[in-house]
Amino acid sequence: MELHDIWFVLIAVLWIGYFFLEGFDFGIGVLTKLLARDRVEKRVLINTIGPVWDGNEVWLLTAGGATFAAFPEWYATLFSGFYLPLLIILVCLIVRGVAFEYRAKRPEERWQTNWEHAIFWTSLIPAVMWGVAFGNITRGVKIDAHKEYVGTFGDLLNPYAILGGLVTLTLFTFHGAVFAALKTVGDIRMRARKLALGLGLVTAVLALGFLTWTQLDNGDGKSLGAMAVAVVALLGAIVAIKAGREGWSFALSGITIAAAVAMLFLTLFPNVMPSSLNEEWSLTVTNSSSSPYTLKIMTWCAVIAAPVVMLYQGWTYWVFRKRIGTQHIAPDPAH
């Protein structure tokens, strides 16, 4: 296996890590409207991800940086062609981070309500947009002979990509509901279980349709195996949450995300961005990669830095592993 093949796999792993971790972050943000009944319960949900949400976004930064360094042509075409959707995602992530930090800085109800609205929408919109983006990458977009995207924003809003966006939204929200059940106590935990069950069933229908469509268009034996793992894991997560086994359900929903993302990358390889205009114009791991020397230096940096970052993040989750409930939330200061 060549170094550019290895880096394609590593970038896939980074995206798997990002969607696994940021997935339940987005889900919790959406659940502040769907699950929480009052401001105290919203604070419970937000506090479940309070110590970890910013660390989860490191995976996105690393995936973007690795793509820029390992596959500069891929990065250039992706970020220029998908400029508007990626800008929307970036603005949402910025506003979302500000909302988490500023929501409780003032006691006025209107102030906190506005930031809570921001948390909801800036969680929901990226959850949809990531599915749309990866749906288009997998399906192929209008790339010309100069490796430039020549389509429009409207071209990205095709039925396959929109279905992908619905899948990521429901899957992340299901993942978040399972995480909420795993991290809370009392009535909110019971309602999170019930909501997760319903979300899981909706997700299963949408995901089966999207993955089947993907397999029929571009799949092979390896992608079919990944699809089977994703479907079985999702069904297992639904059964586990119904039985009240939140830990097993969360692990299985994470496996669902990992297998689904792996399937998309398996259908791509050796392409990184297929051209829908001419197969010969597609970006591949060979015609879009950096020099072997650059990839070699990057590999040594990754071998040294990646374990340190992962150990630190794992330690963070261990420190903040306890469940919380409404009884752990301090009263709001007087207005």
Side-chain angles (χ1 to χ4, degrees), residues 251-317:
L252 288 167
S253 66
I255 292 173
T256 301
I257 293 172
V261 176
M263 180 188 178
L264 297 183
F265 275 88
L266 285 169
T267 59
L268 269 179
F269 188 81
N271 294 323
V272 294
M273 280 192 77
S275 172
S276 60
L277 300 177
N278 189 326
E279 286 187 9
E280 295 182 358
W281 297 343
S282 297
L283 298 179
T284 68
V285 292
T286 53
N287 68 17
S288 63
S289 67
S290 295
S291 67
Y293 183 70
T294 300
L295 296 177
K296 185 176 181 180
I297 293 175
M298 289 177 59
T299 302
W300 280 110
C301 292
V303 167
I304 295 170
V308 176
V309 173
M310 294 178 71
L311 284 171
Y312 175 77
Q313 193 165 22
W315 175 78
T316 303
Y317 275 90

Side-chain angles (χ1 to χ4, degrees), residues 133-276:
F134 271 83
N136 279 289
I137 292 172
T138 306
R139 173 177 174 265
V141 292
K142 294 179 179 179
I143 299 174
D144 65 11
H146 303 289
K147 301 178 182 178
E148 295 180 0
Y149 177 72
V150 293
T152 64
F153 179 71
D155 292 330
L156 302 179
L157 301 177
N158 54 80
Y160 175 78
I162 291 173
L163 178 58
L166 294 176
V167 170
T168 50
L169 174 61
T170 54
L171 180 56
F172 290 168
T173 308
F174 169 69
H175 195 43
V178 174
F179 183 76
L182 179 65
K183 289 289 293 179
T184 58
V185 295
D187 182 59
I188 193 171
R189 177 188 179 188
M190 297 299 105
R191 284 187 282 113
R193 281 187 192 173
K194 184 177 179 180
L195 182 58
L197 183 60
L199 287 168
L201 295 174
V202 174
T203 302
V205 173
L206 294 174
L208 183 60
F210 178 73
L211 296 180
T212 301
W213 192 343
T214 303
Q215 179 63 27
L216 292 175
D217 274 356
N218 304 301
D220 57 14
K222 293 179 181 178
S223 61
L224 181 60
M227 174 183 170
V229 172
V231 171
V232 171
L234 180 55
L235 294 176
I238 295 170
V239 172
I241 197 64
K242 181 177 176 61
R245 303 296 297 271
E246 296 108 338
W248 280 104
S249 183
F250 182 72
L252 288 167
S253 66
I255 292 173
T256 301
I257 293 172
V261 176
M263 180 188 178
L264 297 183
F265 275 88
L266 285 169
T267 59
L268 269 179
F269 188 81
N271 294 323
V272 294
M273 280 192 77
S275 172
S276 60

